[in-house]
Amino acid sequence: MIRAALALMLALALARPAMAEIVLNSAKCDRAWEVLSTGVSAFGAVTGRVTPIGVSCAFTNVVVDNPGQYVPDWHIGSALIEGPALDWLALGDGAPTALTLHLRDLRFVVQTGDAQMDYLFAAQARANPVQADVALEWDPAARVLTLDRLDLDFPGDNRISLTARVAGVDLSSTAALQMSATGFAVTEADLSLQTHGLFEAYALMALGPMVLPREGDMDAAAQTLRADLVAMADALPAPTFSDPSRQALRAVIAELPNPSGVLTLALRSEVGVGPARLMGYAMTGVPQTLDAAAPLFDGVAITIGWEPQDAP
């Protein structure tokens, strides 16, 4: 009996640090959820479950209930957050030098107020989830924020990948972060967008009513719009945009409203592209022509590619 009691006491003693770590991480995840849900609540009411996983935090069954009819609610099956930025966010400890986020089963569910249609829209959304992975790193000494990975995997053969490097970012304090919001500059960015219905699913219905007339010959209106877009592509300034880049844009425009292929974009600028470039237009207003916007492209090289593909 004594031997069994001693064995139990030893087991509890050995387990105590692990139990304490679990309790600490649970508190950290609760605090992280409080901070994040409070921030997101600006869009709508937030609900979800908190689950500590090792030194990471998982938030499951997350719903952001955006107010108003026909405004999609956000549903997330799970959001796993890890990295030093998690401790910085939840506990105020350390520095936000790295953050990794994995979103699974992200869905946008339209609420109409009609019980039948709401049920059908929810069922439709469950069959079309989006998966997302994000990895960020911050170098405090260089004040550089690096987006190592932003991958969005949509239903079907559709995906978006983005990497970027942003200078002038200071996350050491709230005041420094606020200053960075006006002083940052993107020096590198690489985007790859594969669309086989992605444009139609997420952009067409939003853009169409803005650029097409309410009545008349829609095919003719679309052709006129494509011609206007080609003229804009041809007028893009050199050397920021090369002839092959303008040719790629013309090829994409020719396929609208049903482009099928891979669009790539690479941006390089030693000075960077950020809010500082827009300061000159604070008094004069938004430039109305490409010539007036020419200063925005100084020292910037943008390479665009288009690889047409047959729809799968």
Side-chain angles (χ1 to χ4, degrees), residues 123-176:
Q124 186 180 54
R126 279 193 293 271
N128 295 282
V130 179
Q131 321 302 330
D133 295 287
V134 182
L136 291 161
E137 290 184 72
W138 177 56
D139 184 336
R143 297 200 307 160
V144 170
L145 180 67
T146 302
L147 176 61
D148 291 317
R149 183 174 75 256
L150 169 59
D151 293 329
L152 301 174
D153 189 357
F154 296 85
D157 205 6
N158 297 285
R159 57 188 52 87
I160 297 174
S161 296
L162 175 66
T163 62
R165 183 178 173 87
V166 187
V169 177
D170 191 345
L171 305 180
S172 59
S173 67
T174 301

Side-chain angles (χ1 to χ4, degrees), residues 20 32 47 53 61 65 69 93 99 143 192 194 216 225:
T47 58
I53 300 179
N61 299 324
D65 188 358
Q69 291 185 341
D93 292 341
L99 175 70
R143 297 200 307 160
S192 175
Q194 180 168 319
L225 178 60

Side-chain angles (χ1 to χ4, degrees), residues 164-167 184-189 267-269 271-274:
R165 183 178 173 87
V166 187
F184 74 88
V186 180
T187 59
E188 297 180 16
L267 179 149
R268 297 291 184 273
S269 173
V271 177
V273 179

Side-chain angles (χ1 to χ4, degrees), residues 53-131:
I53 300 179
V55 296
S56 306
C57 299
F59 309 116
T60 57
N61 299 324
V62 178
V63 177
V64 181
D65 188 358
N66 293 305
Q69 291 185 341
Y70 301 102
V71 179
D73 296 335
W74 307 344
H75 291 245
I76 303 172
S78 68
L80 178 66
I81 303 179
E82 52 193 353
L86 181 59
D87 291 334
W88 172 78
L89 174 71
L91 307 174
D93 292 341
T97 54
L99 175 70
T100 303
L101 171 65
H102 305 282
L103 296 180
R104 294 296 175 263
D105 296 334
L106 169 63
R107 310 184 305 280
F108 304 98
V109 182
V110 175
Q111 294 283 338
T112 67
D114 181 287
Q116 180 192 72
M117 293 306 299
D118 288 351
Y119 175 83
L120 295 175
F121 278 130
Q124 186 180 54
R126 279 193 293 271
N128 295 282
V130 179
Q131 321 302 330

Side-chain angles (χ1 to χ4, degrees), residues 212-224:
L212 291 173
R214 297 287 299 178
E215 299 177 347
D217 188 335
M218 292 299 124
D219 287 334
Q223 181 58 36
T224 299

